[in-house]
Amino acid sequence: MFIVVRFPRPWPVHEDVQFFSVPCEAQTLSIAATKDGRLRLLVQQGAEVVATFQSQPIRIIGGGYVLLNPSWRGNEITLRINGREISASTNAGEVPLVISTNDHPVGVTPSFEDPERASACAEWMTWRKRRFGTPKVAPKHKRRLKTLSEQLAELSRATRSLADLAAIVQQGRPHLIGHLATELRALVYWNGKNYSPLLLRLAGQLDIPLPLYALVDQSVPPTFGDSKLHVKTSEAANIIRTLPSQRLCDLQDWLEGIMLTASYASDVYAMTPGQRGDLSRKDLISKVATTMGSAHYDEDLPIDLELLFRIQGGPNSNEIACFLIYAANIVTAMSSHVLSMAATRILRESLTSKA
């Protein structure tokens, strides 16, 4: 079997977690990461365990994508990563193996390299340049302005925090979704003049597009009865095209898209029968941060948020956590792209000035 997978982040993981499972005829292969930096493979036929394999410790370099080639016969499993055979822990012991990984699957063009990225993001690039393109010239009272280097360092730290929080929530710690939402809000939430999200601000100052492939649908579902919820999938967006119908758009296009439409039961919520509400992805991030997270702990809870929270998305998660993890992975990739572009630009300008 050949599989393109991404190592969980951060690596090693904080606690053992299964991150891949696939059926193969009458059997099922599952792959887990262990907190000591190993891969554990399990082949099952129904409830019966047919074969197991635990690798030597692995260290990864790069973005995390690899080509995994597991194979098994009877109760024996062999594993190759990017063509290299991986030893079992019983043979290699504690000797670590360093594996080079990629920011995206090999042979696939990410949105950052799409030749149409600038035109697809033109409207929001103009918005960001108008809103953030001119840095402040004077600080507030008893404050000083940050340099561009300081702001880029902040983005680097925030990106690592975001990746760590997403990984921890994905590993079964949903009580931290408020902290994850708060970090996302600081990077990408905008609403009037009172918000200056770090990622959007730096992208505007440096005139960098933020492209991704997504199913951007702003339409509202048909009217339906009380106590019903229509939730649109988050997984239809990525820095690589995974569906033929995905189109290239800006990150802010996707964040403005409607995440859910709810109709509230009047007898439960004392609202007008059939009253409905739409919630965008960016507003969902803000609501979670301000009602369930480290930004605020409000005395009341938005009804649409409560309805969404009830939808289960896994044994240790829910639909809100699933969306926030997904959004965090996208924003992490966008932030890394901006940091890379900024570093290249600063280096080029430095060399030009010296010449």
Side-chain angles (χ1 to χ4, degrees):
M1 183 179 293
F2 291 89
I3 318 159
V4 175
V5 299
R6 187 176 191 176
F7 279 92
R9 293 183 174 181
W11 184 268
V13 294
H14 295 296
E15 58 185 50
D16 295 4
V17 59
Q18 178 181 306
F19 67 95
F20 185 84
S21 178
V22 63
C24 183
E25 296 180 353
Q27 299 177 330
T28 300
L29 168 71
S30 59
I31 304 174
T34 68
K35 59 185 178 182
D36 57 352
R38 304 172 192 266
L39 292 179
R40 185 169 59 236
L41 279 64
L42 186 70
V43 178
Q44 290 178 274
Q45 189 154 344
E48 180 187 359
V49 176
V50 177
T52 61
F53 174 90
Q54 181 153 299
S55 75
Q56 65 190 108
I58 295 172
R59 294 178 183 171
I60 67 169
I61 301 172
Y65 280 106
V66 294
L67 178 64
L68 229 60
N69 174 210
S71 59
W72 61 95
R73 182 186 296 274
N75 62 353
E76 293 187 0
I77 300 177
T78 59
L79 175 65
R80 288 181 173 82
I81 298 179
N82 293 342
R84 297 178 62 181
E85 186 163 351
I86 309 301
S87 298
S89 59
T90 52
N91 298 328
E94 300 299 317
V95 179
L97 179 67
V98 178
I99 296 290
S100 294
T101 65
N102 298 283
D103 292 326
H104 53 83
V106 177
V108 176
T109 301
S111 56
F112 307 133
E113 298 175 13
D114 193 300
E116 302 298 323
R117 60 189 180 277
S119 58
C121 299
E123 182 178 347
W124 281 111
M125 288 180 70
T126 300
W127 183 92
R128 289 191 291 266
K129 195 170 185 64
R130 183 175 62 248
R131 176 70 178 84
F132 305 116
T134 304
K136 286 184 177 180
V137 294
K140 295 179 181 178
H141 181 59
K142 292 186 178 181
R143 299 171 73 95
R144 72 166 179 84
L145 296 177
K146 295 176 184 175
T147 65
L148 177 60
S149 294
E150 286 176 319
Q151 294 179 68
L152 290 169
E154 283 184 328
L155 181 60
S156 179
R157 291 193 296 271
T159 302
R160 294 196 299 272
S161 297
L162 192 63
D164 285 354
L165 283 167
I168 294 170
V169 172
Q170 190 170 28
Q171 292 169 28
R173 305 287 182 86
H175 61 280
L176 291 173
I177 64 173
H179 296 267
L180 180 58
T182 300
E183 197 67 50
L184 276 168
R185 188 182 74 158
L187 290 173
V188 298
Y189 181 73
W190 74 98
N191 185 15
K193 295 182 179 181
N194 295 326
Y195 291 87
S196 180
L198 182 58
L199 175 59
L200 302 188
R201 183 171 77 235
L202 288 172
Q205 290 182 14
L206 298 169
D207 202 23
I208 297 175
L210 301 175
L212 77 162
Y213 297 108
L215 297 176
V216 180
D217 181 10
Q218 297 284 7
S219 63
V220 176
T223 303
F224 39 61
D226 287 352
S227 297
K228 292 187 178 179
L229 193 66
H230 176 88
V231 181
K232 299 187 179 181
T233 179
S234 303
E235 286 70 16
N238 212 319
I239 63 168
I240 58 174
R241 181 177 271 121
T242 55
L243 297 171
S245 53
Q246 287 174 325
R247 69 177 179 87
L248 190 64
C249 67
D250 192 88
L251 172 66
Q252 289 184 258
D253 275 319
W254 181 69
L255 289 172
E256 268 204 330
I258 301 301
M259 175 72 180
L260 69 92
T261 298
S263 179
Y264 311 121
S266 56
D267 57 334
V268 177
Y269 295 110
M271 300 178 72
T272 303
Q275 185 170 346
R276 61 189 296 152
D278 299 325
L279 186 63
S280 69
R281 295 181 180 93
K282 77 180 184 74
D283 288 335
L284 172 59
I285 290 170
S286 178
K287 284 190 176 185
V288 175
T290 55
T291 61
M292 303 168 64
S294 55
H296 298 283
Y297 289 101
D298 288 349
E299 295 181 76
D300 51 9
L301 177 70
I303 295 170
D304 46 15
L305 202 62
E306 181 185 20
L307 292 174
L308 184 59
F309 196 77
R310 293 177 181 178
I311 300 176
Q312 295 303 303
N316 297 313
S317 188
N318 54 67
E319 190 67 21
I320 294 176
C322 290
F323 164 72
L324 292 174
I325 292 167
Y326 202 83
N329 290 335
I330 290 176
V331 172
T332 296
M334 291 288 176
S335 299
S336 298
H337 170 63
V338 168
L339 288 167
S340 176
M341 294 289 291
T344 301
R345 190 171 303 180
I346 291 171
L347 178 61
R348 187 185 304 121
E349 291 173 355
S350 174
L351 293 174
T352 301
S353 63
K354 288 181 181 179

